[in-house]
Amino acid sequence: SVEYATLFNILHCEQPDVLLREAYRVLSPGGRLGIMHWNYDPDTPRGPSMDIRPRPEQSRDWAVESGFRLVVDRKIDLPLYHYG
């Protein structure tokens, strides 16, 4: 098990819930997960197409549904292209 995991630009996979449940499984009790993804903004000049980018709310909801408890319940801007 690990104390911390980061999921970076990968929640646009076909089954994000499976990925998040596995992250939850391998984390130690009290371990933390960080999620970073492309902004959900068509003006972001790089990144995947908008139809596969998850909204910040989707990332949060998927994490909670997978067993995570929120430590920070707000989107954190990570300029220029990402949120956390």
Side-chain angles (χ1 to χ4, degrees):
S1 64
V2 297
E3 294 289 323
Y4 184 81
T6 301
L7 299 181
F8 184 75
N9 293 344
I10 57 176
L11 290 182
H12 56 272
C13 65
E14 290 184 18
Q15 296 178 308
D17 56 320
V18 172
L19 180 62
L20 284 158
R21 282 194 309 268
E22 180 62 10
Y24 186 83
R25 185 189 72 78
V26 301
L27 283 169
S28 303
R32 292 184 175 210
L33 173 73
I35 296 174
M36 297 173 66
H37 220 295
W38 291 99
N39 285 331
Y40 192 82
D41 179 351
D43 293 331
T44 303
R46 296 185 182 151
S49 68
M50 290 302 297
D51 31 324
I52 65 169
R53 293 185 197 195
R55 295 177 184 270
E57 301 80 26
Q58 286 175 301
S59 296
R60 179 198 62 221
D61 292 348
W62 288 333
V64 169
E65 290 166 8
S66 298
F68 289 96
R69 180 181 53 86
L70 299 177
V71 175
V72 176
D73 190 12
R74 63 180 169 83
K75 179 183 108 176
I76 299 170
D77 290 321
L78 302 169
L80 295 170
Y81 308 118
H82 297 89
Y83 68 84

